[in-house]
Amino acid sequence: MKKFNRILMTMFAIASIGAFASCEKVETVDDGSGPINASPVGEWHLKTAYLNNSVVSADNLSFTLQFNNDGTGLVKDYGFVIPIEETQFSWTLSNDADHTLTITLYNGQQLNYTVIKLTNNEFNVTGTVIPFVGMEGDVKLFMTRNGGGSDNPQGDPAPYPGNTTWRNTTNTMVNYEGDSIQITLNSTLKFNQYGNGGSLNVSTNFQGLPISYGLNFTYTYNAETTSGVMTFTADGAAPANIDYTINASANTITFSTVGLPIPAEYASYFTLPETIVFNKQ
């Protein structure tokens, strides 16, 4: 990866000498903020990158990010051939107030961004590093969906419960470093707008307690029985099939956590309630 980054840095430096030399330092940069009401699943092409209040056009810095339903992704359109394993990444998008996008590269390096706009056509994030070239600073990346919003490569929006978000708050006891601590768990269940996938994110804001993880899933849903199956996947664990039921009048989803994978670093002191009831947001 170091060799790859050196190659990218060299190519970026050569390509961008003219760009930065002729690029005007702007006093006011479009903050790119807007609604967050779509799924990142699909292909997004970098339109404009801001680095420390300077605009770098996509003519000088160009790549496409492909976000898949299963939490995997590909970096495309570098303009030169690189080993396929170095183009692969995984991703999660939290449903908290910060809407944190985490991209994990093939070698385990994590890049964190805050999503400030996500619609069918536009995907804007802020962070501290331009991905895949390693340039650091005050970064804003504005991307557009390949093919446009009306021609999404994932097809038509998923039927219900697609594009819905559900939340649960649970008080529980954990055994952490020999102490029994009462904590509040915040869980978010999100069904993607496109395809048949989604994510479950669990976290706590208890200071010093490192519980924060996400699981991806695919799902089926039978509108007649208002029930279905979510298939959760996690590294190092077999896929888990979890039955769930939707109560449309109460706007709740209920499922048993039996068999749901929990990351090994939490399993020694932390268990989920046997049944979780999520409320629609």
Side-chain angles (χ1 to χ4, degrees):
M1 184 64 182
K2 291 182 178 179
K3 180 180 179 182
F4 175 46
N5 280 338
R6 286 197 299 270
I7 294 172
L8 283 176
M9 286 290 289
T10 301
M11 295 191 67
F12 178 81
I14 294 172
S16 60
I17 289 173
F20 282 109
S22 60
C23 174
E24 180 181 357
K25 191 86 168 181
V26 294
E27 294 299 326
T28 302
V29 173
D30 177 10
D31 67 8
S33 299
I36 301 174
N37 56 17
S39 167
V41 173
E43 287 191 1
W44 299 88
H45 185 71
L46 179 66
K47 179 178 67 175
T48 307
Y50 293 96
L51 177 63
N52 295 330
N53 212 34
S54 292
V55 179
V56 186
S57 75
D59 292 335
N60 298 287
L61 173 63
S62 180
F63 54 77
T64 295
L65 301 184
Q66 176 182 312
F67 293 86
N68 300 322
N69 257 330
D70 62 0
T72 63
L74 289 174
V75 188
K76 307 170 69 175
D77 301 335
Y78 274 113
F80 61 95
V81 177
I82 59 176
I84 184 63
E85 66 271 13
E86 295 184 2
T87 69
Q88 299 174 346
F89 63 87
S90 61
W91 64 276
T92 59
L93 177 57
S94 71
N95 293 297
D96 58 20
D98 291 335
H99 297 286
T100 301
L101 172 70
T102 299
I103 294 177
T104 304
L105 303 181
Y106 82 102
N107 63 351
Q109 180 186 4
Q110 286 191 341
L111 306 175
N112 294 313
Y113 300 92
T114 298
V115 177
I116 56 175
K117 185 175 184 179
L118 178 54
T119 67
N120 284 344
N121 296 305
E122 296 179 87
F123 190 6
N124 299 342
V125 302
T126 64
T128 59
V129 60
I130 296 181
F132 320 114
V133 296
M135 300 195 71
E136 297 183 356
D138 180 13
V139 170
K140 294 181 177 69
L141 304 175
F142 294 177
M143 297 177 284
T144 57
R145 189 185 293 277
N146 278 356
S150 62
D151 187 24
N152 188 278
Q154 299 300 317
D156 295 332
Y160 189 82
N163 198 31
T164 61
T165 300
W166 312 70
R167 289 191 170 89
N168 169 273
T169 300
T170 300
N171 294 319
T172 187
M173 299 294 295
V174 300
N175 182 10
Y176 183 62
E177 296 184 347
D179 295 323
S180 293
I181 304 172
Q182 183 173 358
I183 64 170
T184 298
L185 288 175
N186 301 303
S187 303
T188 303
L189 188 68
K190 182 176 178 61
F191 293 83
N192 294 341
Q193 182 178 10
Y194 296 94
N196 65 336
S199 61
L200 169 65
N201 292 278
V202 180
S203 64
T204 180
N205 56 6
F206 189 92
Q207 186 174 3
L209 191 62
I211 295 179
S212 179
Y213 69 91
L215 298 172
N216 295 314
F217 63 83
T218 58
Y219 69 94
T220 63
Y221 180 67
N222 186 322
E224 293 183 1
T225 62
T226 64
S227 63
V229 177
M230 286 181 283
T231 301
F232 287 88
T233 56
D235 291 341
N241 294 320
I242 305 296
D243 296 328
Y244 69 96
T245 302
I246 294 180
N247 185 326
S249 59
N251 280 327
T252 60
I253 287 181
T254 302
F255 66 78
S256 168
T257 64
V258 176
L260 190 68
I262 297 178
E265 60 265 36
Y266 307 137
S268 62
Y269 61 86
F270 165 70
T271 57
L272 287 171
E274 291 185 1
T275 302
I276 300 182
V277 178
F278 290 85
N279 296 291
K280 187 178 180 182
Q281 301 302 296

